[in-house]
């Protein structure tokens, strides 16, 4: 009788293990199928065996609803290297979804930081390197740089940019079509987030907080009973940000429309679309089961969950969702992109570019 109990416990544990391991396979069988999929390893994306000593700063952006640009951007951090760098060169890959193929590629220096390639408008994009920010076209040629440090941020519609702030350099508000400087800000005083018509300004003085600047109106503080700390314009009327373990979505007067749960806000991103009709919540996380079967596993090791949720901006309704295990590729993971119409989402996972249709 005494021997049967341990045997029963072992059988139960084995059965539970098989059941839990079968859940991802079942979930994947019901997952949406991509309308386009490309193996990026064949085009310069490092093999998984090389990524242990490399940081991944790859960007994916839509230049139009049919054109997807991938900037394969990795850095070897095994040796001593400068804080800011744009070498080795990155491989830029332009895919045409209507033709379902790669139509153009080139190698260019790109700053070793996420968000160093941003789409703007009319099929153009901007690229940040050590010389500054450059305006580029869909033929993958770039103009002369406007001298600046990073980081680089773009409004949802890509009409305006903010660049600078690293090394306590000034932030510059730019017109994306010409790179003409519209205004400059000192990072010690304020941090600026661009919208297509307005600006979010996070003042460093604790009693001032977040302000909104809209053309034709005096600058005013964003009041919110929900503790909203906005990090993005979703469109010209709505902003969103993280507070506690939630995403808050609010009008420009501070009225919270809805909130959505997130597990680890500091490891989540908000991805906007030019149409403003939808946005994406990109998250990484860790499963309890992963901690249990891998003794000594702690947060800070490569995430075991990566997910995207596409949300209708007005209603907060979930319209697309996908979860996967990103290992063995480590942090940072590639942030997805929404097409201008928000009817497609582009994801880089396991070294593959996948584009899904959103109904």
């Amino acid at each position: 009788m005494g021997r049967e109990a341990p045997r029963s416990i072992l059988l139960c544990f084995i059965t539970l293990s098989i059941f839990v391991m079968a859940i991802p396979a079942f979930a994947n069988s019901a997952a949406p199928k991509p309308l386009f999929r490309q193996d990026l390893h064949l085009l310069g994306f490092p093999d998984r065996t090389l990524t242990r000593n490399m940081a991944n700063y790859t960007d994916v952006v839509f230049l139009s609803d049919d054109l997807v640009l991938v900037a394969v951007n990795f850095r070897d951090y095994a040796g001593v290297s400068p804080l800011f760098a744009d070498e080795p060169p990155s491989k830029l890959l332009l895919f045409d979804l209507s033709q379902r193929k790669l139509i153009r590629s080139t190698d260019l220096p790109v700053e070793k930081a996420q968000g160093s390639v941003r789409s703007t408008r009319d099929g153009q994009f901007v690229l940040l390197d050590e010389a500054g920010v450059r305006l580029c076209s869909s033929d993958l040629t770039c103009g002369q740089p406007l001298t600046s440090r990073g980081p680089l941020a773009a409004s949802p519609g890509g009409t305006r940019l903010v660049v600078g702030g690293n090394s306590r350099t000034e932030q510059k508000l730019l017109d994306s079509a010409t790179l003409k400087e519209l205004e400059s800000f000192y990072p010690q005083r304020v941090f600026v987030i661009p919208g297509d018509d307005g600006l979010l300004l996070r003042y460093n003085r604790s009693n001032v907080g977040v302000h909104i600047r809209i053309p034709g109106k005096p600058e005013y503080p964003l009041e919110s009973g929900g503790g909203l700390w906005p990090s993005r314009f979703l469109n010209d009327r709505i902003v969103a940000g993280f507070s506690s373990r939630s995403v808050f979505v609010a009008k420009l007067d501070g009225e919270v429309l809805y909130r959505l749960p997130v597990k680890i806000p500091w490891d989540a991103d908000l991805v906007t679309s030019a149409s403003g009709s939808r946005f994406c919540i990109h998250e990484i996380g860790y499963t309890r089961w992963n901690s249990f079967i891998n003794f000594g596993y702690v947060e800070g090791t490569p995430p075991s969950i990566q997910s995207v949720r596409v949300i209708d901006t007005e209603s907060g309704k979930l319209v697309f969702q996908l979860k996967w295990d990103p290992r063995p590729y480590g942090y940072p993971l590639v942030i997805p992109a929404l097409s201008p119409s928000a009817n497609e989402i582009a994801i880089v996972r396991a070294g593959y570019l996948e584009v899904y249709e959103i109904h």
Side-chain angles (χ1 to χ4, degrees):
M1 185 73 177
R3 294 181 179 178
E4 291 297 325
R7 185 178 299 174
S8 299
I9 293 172
L10 178 60
L11 289 173
C12 290
F13 179 80
I14 293 172
T15 303
L16 179 61
S17 300
I18 294 172
F19 174 75
V20 172
M21 288 187 289
I23 291 175
F26 175 78
N28 288 337
S29 67
K33 303 299 182 183
L35 61 87
F36 177 80
R37 191 170 191 260
Q38 171 66 51
D39 186 352
L40 298 177
H41 299 103
L42 305 175
L43 301 168
F45 200 90
D47 186 82
R48 64 182 62 188
T49 58
L50 301 178
T51 59
R52 182 172 299 176
N53 294 322
M54 303 181 79
N56 182 6
Y57 301 114
T58 297
D59 285 313
V60 56
V61 298
F62 278 88
L63 303 188
S64 70
D65 280 341
D66 284 329
L67 296 179
V68 179
L69 177 66
V70 179
V72 179
N73 187 3
F74 280 77
R75 180 180 187 178
D76 188 339
Y77 58 82
V80 177
S81 56
L83 179 61
F84 301 112
D86 58 12
E87 295 291 338
S90 299
K91 184 169 288 292
L92 273 66
L93 308 167
L94 185 64
F95 298 91
D96 188 327
L97 299 182
S98 64
Q99 301 182 54
R100 300 186 180 277
K101 68 177 185 178
L102 176 73
I103 60 170
R104 207 163 286 126
S105 67
T106 192
D107 293 328
L108 290 171
V110 179
E111 192 72 10
K112 301 304 175 185
Q114 281 188 316
S116 295
V117 174
R118 303 279 190 178
S119 59
T120 55
R121 52 184 169 178
D122 301 324
Q124 296 183 312
F125 64 98
V126 286
L127 177 153
L128 182 70
D129 59 25
E130 279 294 281
V133 60
R134 302 174 188 266
L135 182 61
C136 309
S137 63
S138 58
D139 63 6
L140 303 188
T141 60
C142 301
Q144 292 299 308
L146 173 70
T147 303
S148 180
R149 283 290 189 189
L152 175 64
S155 60
T159 60
R160 298 202 292 178
L161 308 168
V162 168
V163 64
N166 287 341
S167 300
R168 303 177 75 85
T169 55
E170 67 177 356
Q171 286 189 291
K172 301 174 183 179
L173 176 66
L174 309 176
D175 178 273
S176 69
T178 61
L179 297 189
K180 177 183 177 181
E181 185 175 327
L182 305 176
E183 196 171 351
S184 63
F185 305 85
Y186 291 100
Q188 296 91 334
R189 179 172 177 263
V190 64
F191 182 78
V192 184
I193 301 166
D196 291 297
D197 285 332
L199 296 175
L200 281 170
L201 302 107
R202 295 182 182 174
Y203 285 96
N204 294 334
R205 290 173 291 167
S206 59
N207 61 335
V208 175
V210 180
H211 281 218
I212 289 184
R213 186 185 297 177
I214 302 294
K217 293 183 178 181
E219 184 179 306
Y220 64 92
L222 180 65
E223 303 290 345
S224 174
L228 178 68
W229 189 253
S231 58
R232 292 287 186 278
F233 280 92
L234 299 185
N235 55 39
D236 292 338
R237 299 173 292 101
I238 297 175
V239 294
F242 297 100
S243 180
S244 184
R245 292 185 178 271
S246 297
V247 171
F248 284 79
V249 177
K251 296 180 181 178
L252 297 188
D253 62 3
E255 178 190 348
V256 175
L257 298 174
Y258 52 88
R259 64 187 70 185
L260 301 166
V262 291
K263 290 186 177 180
I264 308 177
W266 50 91
D267 272 334
D269 303 284
L270 296 177
V271 180
T272 60
S273 63
S275 69
S277 59
R278 292 166 173 170
F279 69 98
C280 171
I281 302 172
H282 171 243
E283 291 187 81
I284 65 172
Y286 310 85
T287 62
R288 292 183 179 179
W289 176 250
N290 188 75
S291 301
F292 179 73
I293 63 174
N294 295 283
F295 298 104
Y297 176 87
V298 293
E299 292 189 15
T301 57
S304 52
I305 299 175
Q306 187 174 3
S307 70
V308 293
R309 284 180 284 166
V310 180
I311 309 297
D312 179 84
T313 303
E314 295 288 342
S315 67
K317 179 183 176 183
L318 178 68
V319 295
F320 179 88
Q321 181 170 235
L322 188 64
K323 291 184 179 182
W324 65 96
D325 186 339
R327 293 171 297 175
Y329 293 92
Y331 188 84
L333 298 168
V334 182
I335 298 171
L338 286 171
S339 65
S341 65
N343 290 328
E344 295 89 25
I345 185 169
I347 296 167
V348 175
R349 62 170 178 165
Y352 285 78
L353 169 65
E354 298 178 343
V355 180
Y356 294 84
E357 191 172 10
I358 303 171
H359 299 287

